[in-house]
Amino acid sequence: TGLEDRVHLRFALGKHFEDCAEHAASFAYYKGANALRKQQLNYSADKHRARIERHMDFFSAERVPHLPSSELKAADPIFIVGLPRSGSTLLEQILASHSQVDGTLELPNILSLAHRLRGRNLVSDRDRYPRILAELSGADLTSLGEDYIENTRVHRRGAPFFTDKMPNNFRHIGLIHLILPNAKIIDARRAPLDCCWSGFKQLFAEGQEFTYGLDEIGQYYRGYVDLMAHWDSVLPEGRILRVQHEDVLENLEEQIRRLLDYCELPFEAACVDFHKTDRAVRTASSEQVRQPITRAGQEQWRPFEPYLAPLKEALGEHS
């Protein structure tokens, strides 16, 4: 059997034995599936942490107020950031159920822009991005914002606002803030063990290379929380709205009203009936958002707790 087939089979067997409540066998298959998948990748937790720290160093409380910024007035984009399996698809579906919002995809435009700014000298000049942002003029940043609006238009259907649900954009909130000063940014947050375990047992179609090891996914979550706390400390108060997934499950309408108020949108009942909205969803949560709200995904890690020491250690105080 080929490697790719073995990866798929082991993930499937992990799910089968989980459904049968045979958790030792299930974990063995999940662990084996992730180990095989990791052989195909070249992810480094240390390099990721270094990137996080470069952003924290560059976007310091002293520097941010003096950076140039775009004069673009457009408030079209609603960015939803976080980790995969954090409830971000649910938030996107809620917003896409509103008459004034187009739900799009996990758009690659911001990641592509960051890659372009980073340039080719990735080894000799790793901190070129975000450092290069200080060398751009307000007109340069305005142009980058205009390019983003224009290049994402192909995914829209004419509503005044649209969602961009690329979760990894949390690393580039500083860039988003500079080129799209009126864009909304929503941080989809989920309890760490729920979020990380759900990611570990998911075979993603592409990307999310940090999810194929308990230590790696725990370190990634910790870096994400640290960077989001940094953005909160250096950007204007209220710039980012944090939505806790457990709060959405607890009181759906209250959190929807909070979400719509932040986006400066009137309340619409269709947002509460999000599962009735007919649109393409291309993430691992595609079937879940077609059903009413449910707590079925909470604490699925508990039967596997004897095996999660590496994850808890990596999460540290965040576990």
Side-chain angles (χ1 to χ4, degrees):
T1 308
L3 177 61
E4 191 67 22
D5 288 335
R6 281 185 284 146
V7 170
H8 280 266
L9 286 167
R10 289 188 184 188
F11 272 109
L13 286 165
K15 179 66 168 67
H16 166 73
F17 284 110
E18 182 180 8
D19 289 346
C20 295
E22 296 184 34
H23 298 110
S26 173
F27 183 79
Y29 278 111
Y30 281 139
K31 182 178 179 181
N34 279 280
L36 284 178
R37 184 75 175 106
K38 197 188 297 187
Q39 292 177 22
Q40 301 172 299
L41 306 172
N42 189 32
Y43 175 73
S44 167
D46 290 340
K47 289 181 180 178
H48 173 73
R49 184 69 202 190
R51 287 193 291 268
I52 293 286
E53 291 177 356
R54 283 198 290 273
H55 282 272
M56 294 169 72
D57 290 342
F58 177 79
F59 289 99
S60 65
E62 296 75 26
R63 180 180 285 127
V64 167
H66 304 290
L67 288 171
S69 65
S70 167
E71 296 182 3
L72 188 64
K73 303 301 183 186
D76 310 25
I78 302 171
F79 290 94
I80 304 172
V81 304
L83 264 66
R85 316 298 292 147
S86 64
S88 58
T89 301
L90 173 60
L91 299 185
E92 179 195 39
Q93 182 76 353
I94 288 168
L95 286 169
S97 301
H98 197 283
S99 63
Q100 296 185 40
V101 182
D102 283 333
T104 62
L105 304 166
E106 295 184 351
L107 302 178
N109 301 70
I110 293 294
L111 301 185
S112 297
L113 174 56
H115 185 74
R116 203 166 83 225
L117 292 169
R118 195 174 291 122
R120 296 182 179 181
N121 298 323
L122 298 181
V123 176
S124 61
D125 192 11
R126 288 181 176 174
D127 66 347
R128 183 176 189 267
Y129 170 75
R131 189 191 70 233
I132 193 174
L133 294 173
E135 303 171 19
L136 302 180
S137 67
D140 293 330
L141 295 169
T142 300
S143 179
L144 292 176
E146 289 172 342
D147 286 348
Y148 171 85
I149 295 295
E150 185 58 37
N151 293 336
T152 53
R153 203 173 298 281
V154 66
H155 302 289
R156 302 171 62 178
R157 297 182 304 279
F161 304 95
F162 70 99
T163 60
D164 180 339
K165 200 196 75 67
M166 176 60 75
N168 311 71
N169 280 339
F170 79 87
R171 300 198 304 265
H172 307 293
I173 285 176
L175 172 62
I176 293 170
H177 177 68
L178 294 183
I179 69 171
L180 296 160
N182 292 320
K184 303 299 185 184
I185 305 171
I186 298 163
D187 173 22
R189 188 74 60 93
R190 186 182 179 191
L193 288 171
D194 275 335
C195 188
C196 294
W197 172 248
S198 186
F200 181 75
K201 66 177 189 173
Q202 176 69 46
L203 175 59
F204 292 94
E206 60 182 354
Q208 316 306 352
E209 296 181 351
F210 63 91
T211 63
Y212 298 104
L214 291 174
D215 178 70
E216 288 88 343
I217 197 170
Q219 289 190 55
Y220 192 95
Y221 188 100
R222 190 171 67 191
Y224 148 69
V225 171
D226 290 347
L227 185 55
M228 291 307 302
H230 180 76
W231 295 133
D232 286 342
S233 71
V234 301
L235 298 182
E237 185 177 355
R239 184 72 177 92
I240 301 167
L241 178 71
R242 182 156 300 113
V243 181
Q244 192 71 37
H245 182 63
E246 291 74 22
D247 292 342
V248 177
L249 299 182
E250 183 67 29
N251 194 326
L252 177 63
E253 185 171 328
E254 178 183 284
Q255 290 302 309
I256 287 176
R257 290 183 180 275
R258 177 171 171 260
L259 185 64
L260 295 178
D261 284 347
Y262 168 76
C263 294
E264 301 180 80
L265 292 166
F267 177 79
E268 290 185 0
C271 296
V272 179
D273 295 326
F274 61 87
H275 56 285
K276 298 178 182 178
T277 300
D278 184 18
R279 57 180 287 266
V281 180
R282 296 182 177 89
T283 72
S285 303
S286 58
E287 296 308 308
Q288 292 165 315
V289 298
R290 301 187 198 285
Q291 302 171 21
I293 207 83
T294 174
R295 295 177 178 272
Q298 283 190 289
E299 298 199 339
Q300 291 186 351
W301 57 271
R302 284 212 175 271
F304 299 91
E305 189 168 13
Y307 316 108
L308 301 185
L311 173 58
K312 289 186 174 184
E313 184 176 348
L315 285 168
E317 63 181 16
H318 299 302
S319 66

